[in-house]
């Protein structure tokens, strides 16, 4: 399943609107989004399966299966095309910064196995000592 930032980027690509990425977008974010949109649109035109997934998402923007399909095609395109990979990474970073600064929220992502003696502790706004 795609992370929330990738999901927002996919939604923005489907609607051709950077406003899906969040509030308070700067000129740099919009410029990066436009470049990514152009690159992805060009690439997906030559890949019927990817284009169909994007078309399906445009018709049903709340379809989780369509979001996942486009996310999968986007990730593959990012691995295979250095420019798409660079733009996607840059946009992810910019969107995360906006979301964290704008809402004061914290997003934690854990990749891999957390079992046995491994522990994950999440928190926010600690004031004072922490004893475990």
């Amino acid at each position: 399943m795609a992370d929330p930032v990738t999901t927002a980027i996919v939604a923005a690509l489907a609607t051709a609107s950077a406003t899906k990425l969040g509030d308070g977008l700067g000129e740099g974010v919009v410029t990066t989004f436009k470049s990514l949109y152009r690159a992805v649109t060009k690439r997906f035109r030559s890949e019927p399966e990817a284009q169909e997934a994007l078309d399906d998402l445009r018709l049903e923007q709340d379809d989780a299966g369509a979001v996942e399909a486009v996310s999968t095609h986007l990730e593959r395109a990012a691995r295979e095309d250095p420019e798409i990979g660079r733009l996607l990474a840059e946009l992810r970073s910019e969107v995360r910064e906006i979301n964290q600064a704008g809402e004061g929220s914290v997003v934690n992502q854990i990749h891999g196995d957390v079992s046995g003696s491994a522990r994950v502790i999440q928190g926010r706004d600690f004031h004072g000592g922490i004893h475990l």
Side-chain angles (χ1 to χ4, degrees), residues 97-113:
E97 286 178 27
I98 289 168
N99 288 338
Q100 288 175 351
E103 298 174 15
S105 63
V106 176
V107 176
N108 294 300
Q109 293 183 350
I110 301 166
H111 299 278
D113 187 26

Side-chain angles (χ1 to χ4, degrees), residues 77-104:
R79 286 190 305 272
E80 295 174 358
D81 184 321
E83 181 64 6
I84 291 175
R86 182 189 68 76
L87 290 167
L88 183 59
E90 186 176 324
L91 192 57
R92 279 179 174 148
S93 176
E94 291 170 342
V95 170
R96 279 190 184 105
E97 286 178 27
I98 289 168
N99 288 338
Q100 288 175 351
E103 298 174 15

